[in-house]
Amino acid sequence: LCSPPSADGVFAFFVSLSFILFALEMILYCWVKSDFSNGIFQVKGYAFSFFFWLDLLAVLSMVPDVDWLASALGLQDSLMDSLGTKAGKAGKIGAKSSRIIRMARLVRLVKLYKVASQRSREKQKLDDLKQLVESGHFNHDEIQEFLEKSNSQK
């Protein structure tokens, strides 16, 4: 709406890229965070959990937005026009709700990134502290005293 039609290719590229990345993330998350040892019908973890279905809905809601995939599946705008105004309104509501789901998912990804980066920083600090102790810069008693002070301040 706010950009010239010449920018449609750029938007289509980024929509396709985000679809592929979200689908890949979902597949990898199933692979890493699920336990299939008891068989496909007794899966523990991410696969077939509430968040799995929420993520699947978010990924599937992107299909009509991905031009090359929508045309391959026959989900063009002309199909919406032929279904009538009620279906068109329902589709608009569905598109708005899918955008909300995608935004919630992006917020979740940002939160996960923040937690992961915080853990990485804490691990780096711990590794640096271990190197200082091993090199003899601090002795065990000084570190124990420092840790007790920092824990009592919390």
Side-chain angles (χ1 to χ4, degrees):
L1 293 173
C2 296
S3 61
S6 61
D8 287 350
V10 175
F11 286 116
F13 169 76
F14 283 114
V15 168
S16 296
L17 181 66
S18 63
F19 172 77
I20 290 169
L21 290 176
F22 280 140
L24 181 65
E25 180 215 7
M26 191 174 158
I27 292 167
L28 291 175
Y29 216 78
C30 279
W31 181 38
V32 172
K33 294 286 188 176
S34 299
D35 180 18
F36 293 98
S37 62
N38 295 333
I40 192 73
F41 297 110
Q42 296 178 348
V43 178
K44 292 181 181 177
Y46 174 74
F48 307 118
S49 69
F50 171 75
F51 290 110
F52 168 82
W53 294 111
L54 187 65
D55 291 343
L56 182 65
L57 180 65
V59 169
L60 290 178
S61 71
M62 292 179 73
V63 170
D65 295 335
V66 180
D67 294 333
W68 55 269
L69 189 57
S71 64
L73 296 174
L75 301 173
Q76 293 298 326
D77 290 333
S78 62
L79 177 64
M80 274 310 242
D81 293 340
S82 66
L83 292 176
T85 57
K86 287 186 181 180
K89 288 179 183 178
K92 287 179 184 178
I93 292 170
K96 286 181 182 180
S97 64
S98 70
R99 288 184 187 112
I100 291 170
I101 291 171
R102 279 187 255 163
M103 286 304 297
R105 190 158 187 238
L106 285 173
V107 168
R108 187 172 137 225
L109 286 174
V110 168
K111 287 181 181 179
L112 286 173
Y113 173 75
K114 285 181 180 180
V115 167
S117 63
Q118 177 67 27
R119 286 182 182 169
S120 175
R121 284 192 302 269
E122 289 174 357
K123 185 181 183 308
Q124 183 63 39
K125 286 180 182 179
L126 184 61
D127 291 342
D128 291 344
L129 183 62
K130 284 181 183 179
Q131 285 180 347
L132 287 172
V133 170
E134 290 171 359
S135 66
H137 286 82
F138 297 103
N139 65 25
H140 185 29
D141 295 333
E142 290 173 331
I143 294 173
Q144 186 74 23
E145 182 180 322
F146 173 76
L147 290 175
E148 287 174 1
K149 284 182 184 177
S150 64
N151 284 338
S152 65
Q153 290 176 356
K154 291 181 182 179

